[in-house]
Each structure stands twice: as C-alpha cells, then as structure tokens.
Amino acid sequence: MNAAAGLASRFAELFGGAPRIFRAPGRVNLIGEHTDYNDGFVMPAAIQVATHVAIAPAQSRRLTLRSENLGETVAFELDEPGPRPRGDWSDYVRGVAITIGRSGRPISGANLLIHGNIPLGAGLSSSASLEVAVAVALLADSGVTMDPTQVALLCQRAEDEFVGARCGIMDQFTACNARANHALMLDCRSLDAAHFEIPRDLRLAVCNTMVKHELASGEYNRRRQQCEEGVRVLSEFIPGIRALRDITMEQLQEFGSTLHPTILRRCRHVVSENARVQAAAQALSRGDLEEFGELMRCSHLSLRDDYEVSCPELDVMVELALGLEGVYGSRMTGGGFGGCTISLVKAEWVDSFSRAMAQGYEKQTGMRPEIYICSAADGASEELF
Ligand code: GLA
C-alpha cells in the first residue's frame, strides 16, 4: 500500500468515508537567503519530504483536525467570531481557513487527517508545507479553484496575520509552484518565476545540524527591521528606492558611510546576495556547476559575517562539505541559527559524502547529523491512489 492509500485507510477508520489526499512539499533554498522580504531574488527547489492531508466534507460548519505526528485532535467552528491563535500547530491550519474565508471564498466544514515527514525546526519549511497542503485541500473540498500563486500569497498572509510570523514569500511560493528536477528562480517583487533544469547526475544533499533554530524568529524580525532601516536612510540619498532590491553595490559603496556599521553589513549581504542569485541562474543555465558552487560558498560567508545568521555547527558542516570529493558548493539554507546546510554533490560521490559528513560532524560536535539526499520535487498536488 502506498503512503496515500495508507493515510486514506487510517482516515476511514477515524472519521469514516473516503477522503481525497493532497500533498505539499518542503523546500531547500539553493541560493538567495534573506532576500525575499527585500523584494529580491531566491533560487529554491522543492524536495521529496512533504505534508499530506486527507480530507472529506463534514456535515457541520466545523473543521476537525487530527495530527498523526503529534497525536492531537483540535476542532473549531468556521463561523466563530473573533478567532484567536492557540499558539500551536493548529494555528497554521486555522489561519489558512480564516484567510480563505476572508478572501470571499466560502469553505465548507471538513475532517482532516494530517501527516508530515519534514523535520520540524530544521529550516526546510514544514510550516509553509502544512499551510499549502491544507489550503489546496480545503479549496478542493469546497469546490473552489485558485491559481497556485494566489494560494501561496494567501498562505503567506495567514502566517503573517493569524500566526504572527512575518515571513517572505519564498517558502509558500515554492511549495505551490516548484517543478521536479528544476530549481525555481523567483523574483520576489514581480513574482515572475523561471525554472532551471538541474543536471541529472547532481544531488541536493541536505545535512541537518540537529540544532533547532529556536532563536530564529526574534532575530529574523530584527534583520527585517535592520533592512528597512537601511532603506530609510539610503532613500534620503537615492530617491525612489523602495527596498534593498533597488540598490546596487556601487550605490552602497558611495553612500554606505551614512549607515550604522551593522546596518551597512546587513545591506551588503542582501545587495551582494541578489547579485549572486542572478549569477547563479546564469551559471546553471550554461551548466557551470563550479561557478554555482563558488557562489554558494560566498553566500555562506556573507550570511556568516555580514548578516550574522549562521552558527558554529552550520559553519563546521559547510567547512566539512567543502573539503570532500564530488562537492561543488555548500552553504547554510533557510533562516539560519541552526537547521540545515545544502551541498551540491555529484551523484557518484553521494555515499562517500554521507559517510564522511556523518563521521566528521559527530567527531567535531558530538552530535549525529541527519542527511537527506534529495532531488528536486514538484509543488503541491492531489495524490491519486
Ligand atoms: C525563512 C522565511 C523565508 C525566508 C528565509 C530566509 O525560511 O520563511 O521567507 O525569508 O527564512 O531566506
């Protein structure tokens, strides 16, 4: 029995009836970190780990959610006035349901059984994957069709307005629009996306430091504020700029002395990272993986030194990877302060890479890393079984 059929049969035992099943993937970002909320460029890919949602209509105006991973059931009325977050996983689901309702699309009561295999707190977008899987499930169950980019925007809004986390658009957009065997290059201002084929003999090796990024949300918001502060000051000298996306490195060099040194370093990361993403897209389109890898290495240094969102464990992992045979490049991925690194590895070297990373990382940190060898997956879909 495949995973979707298994989930459907457990749904039938729990709620009765035959559900439809939807999935939305996690993602790994190849390059372009902390650029999305600066209207910049990112280049993520979806990966095989995912959240699955089994759904069938209920007779009432109630959503009943069961998380298999947490062994918890939560229920709420769709029409409850003044809904408030509970501060747990169900907020992502409820936020999505409320945001769909507020967008003028009526959704129906339903039972949902949720199962995910994305490691939590590892920077692989388990929350965006949950939001998107639930959104496509609720919309389909209510007979509403919606363009995937609109679904992504709606989920981002739910996270911002209901859950209370001010994330960018990268994770939800990737969960909705990614394409198998391709990296997604996204302009986070226009939302124009291009898909770049990933060579068949290349693997995305995701290594988990096992350090949870708990510090991340406070520091994340602080970085956002620092970027906004940079734009505010620089706009006195460069009229018309709206975001760090609008600033060139030459302009930053010319007017950087007007910024507090910390703000200057934050801005330098974002401006240089945007240039790296564009160079990476060109490198990938001409098959120049050496160049792509070098841009990843520079991205990590910039995140470590200028943006200061790395941590010793991420640095150890990147150093280790860069010293191994068959590795084009390596860097931290996601928000930082823990979580995972991404390394581009030639397929034939993947086994020796995994062994050496596991041994080397444990020797230096005393922690056993998890290593996931991925290739790029498709965005959200209905699972037929
Ligand atoms: C988190 C956010 C994204 C993005 C990254 C950093 O994953 O959810 O929107 O800002 O951090 O690149």
Side-chain angles (χ1 to χ4, degrees):
M1 197 185 319
N2 69 24
L7 189 65
S9 101
R10 296 194 298 279
F11 181 98
E13 269 170 39
L14 188 67
F15 294 114
R20 291 170 74 183
I21 301 211
F22 297 84
R23 77 165 247 298
R27 64 98 189 92
V28 64
N29 191 15
L30 304 184
I31 194 160
E33 216 65 81
H34 290 278
T35 45
D36 61 352
Y37 53 83
N38 288 299
D39 274 4
F41 300 93
V42 293
M43 196 189 273
I47 52 179
Q48 282 80 9
V49 286
T51 306
H52 283 86
V53 172
I55 189 167
Q59 295 307 322
S60 58
R61 296 278 302 145
R62 169 182 288 224
L63 285 189
T64 304
L65 324 170
R66 170 84 183 164
S67 161
E68 287 200 322
N69 298 76
L70 299 171
E72 276 175 27
T73 302
V74 176
F76 49 84
E77 297 297 327
L78 284 170
D79 304 324
E80 186 190 313
R84 301 175 77 104
R86 291 163 42 112
D88 66 12
W89 63 277
S90 67
D91 291 347
Y92 294 102
V93 179
R94 198 172 190 188
V96 165
I98 291 168
T99 311
I100 296 175
R102 287 190 185 147
S103 75
R105 280 96 165 178
I107 55 168
S108 321
N111 296 318
L112 289 81
L113 181 63
I114 302 170
H115 181 92
N117 63 354
I118 306 176
L120 304 181
L124 301 177
S125 286
S126 54
S127 40
S129 148
L130 172 60
E131 290 156 9
V132 170
V134 164
V136 292
L138 288 175
L139 289 164
D141 188 64
S142 307
V144 179
T145 48
M146 194 185 280
D147 170 71
T149 298
Q150 293 308 315
V151 174
L153 287 165
L154 188 146
C155 291
Q156 184 200 20
R157 196 176 326 133
E159 186 153 347
D160 183 14
E161 291 174 5
F162 191 74
V163 181
R166 282 183 76 201
C167 62
I169 188 63
M170 168 167 70
D171 305 344
Q172 292 84 357
F173 193 96
T174 310
C176 288
N177 289 306
R179 196 179 284 175
N181 303 319
H182 289 74
L184 175 76
M185 154 89 162
L186 175 65
D187 176 335
C188 297
R189 172 173 282 167
S190 66
L191 298 186
D192 284 341
H195 299 272
F196 289 85
E197 194 169 356
I198 297 177
R200 289 199 173 272
D201 58 350
L202 193 66
R203 294 292 173 274
L204 313 180
V206 178
C207 298
N208 191 342
T209 60
M210 310 308 280
V211 177
K212 292 218 171 182
H213 60 183
E214 269 144 10
L215 246 181
S217 65
E219 290 294 330
Y220 186 89
N221 290 338
R222 185 161 316 136
R223 294 298 179 285
R224 284 192 74 139
Q225 282 162 10
Q226 290 169 332
C227 292
E228 285 161 12
E229 172 65 6
V231 173
R232 192 188 63 73
V233 173
L234 290 169
S235 63
E236 291 170 23
F237 305 95
I238 316 167
I241 58 168
R242 284 194 284 138
L244 289 180
R245 146 70 176 274
D246 299 313
I247 294 171
T248 64
M249 196 47 98
E250 292 69 34
Q251 287 172 322
L252 194 60
Q253 270 153 7
E254 190 175 349
F255 301 110
S257 60
T258 62
L259 297 169
H260 183 282
T262 304
I263 307 279
L264 173 58
R265 280 185 289 118
R266 305 299 188 244
C267 294
R268 193 166 59 200
H269 165 70
V270 175
V271 173
S272 64
E273 185 79 348
N274 275 330
R276 279 188 290 272
V277 180
Q278 294 178 81
Q282 284 174 13
L284 194 53
S285 62
R286 48 170 207 274
D288 187 347
L289 296 175
E290 307 283 343
E291 171 68 7
F292 196 100
E294 175 59 14
L295 291 160
M296 289 173 79
R297 192 182 69 81
C298 295
S299 166
H300 184 79
L301 297 181
S302 177
L303 288 157
R304 185 189 72 184
D305 301 334
D306 276 350
Y307 219 61
E308 295 181 280
V309 292
S310 186
C311 66
E313 293 83 359
L314 285 167
D315 297 340
V316 162
M317 218 160 218
V318 167
E319 281 285 308
L320 275 171
L322 290 176
L324 296 178
E325 194 95 48
V327 175
Y328 289 107
S330 184
R331 56 182 287 278
M332 56 157 275
T333 187
F337 300 102
C340 294
T341 63
I342 166 74
S343 307
L344 294 193
V345 185
K346 278 186 201 158
E348 70 212 76
W349 288 98
V350 148
D351 291 341
S352 68
F353 170 88
S354 302
R355 271 196 305 277
M357 288 301 289
Q359 281 169 7
Y361 185 74
E362 190 171 354
K363 196 165 161 212
Q364 289 201 41
T365 65
M367 283 181 288
R368 194 165 290 180
E370 283 178 3
I371 298 174
Y372 325 103
I373 303 300
C374 308
S375 42
D378 276 320
S381 59
E382 178 164 8
E383 297 275 89
L384 302 173
F385 55 95

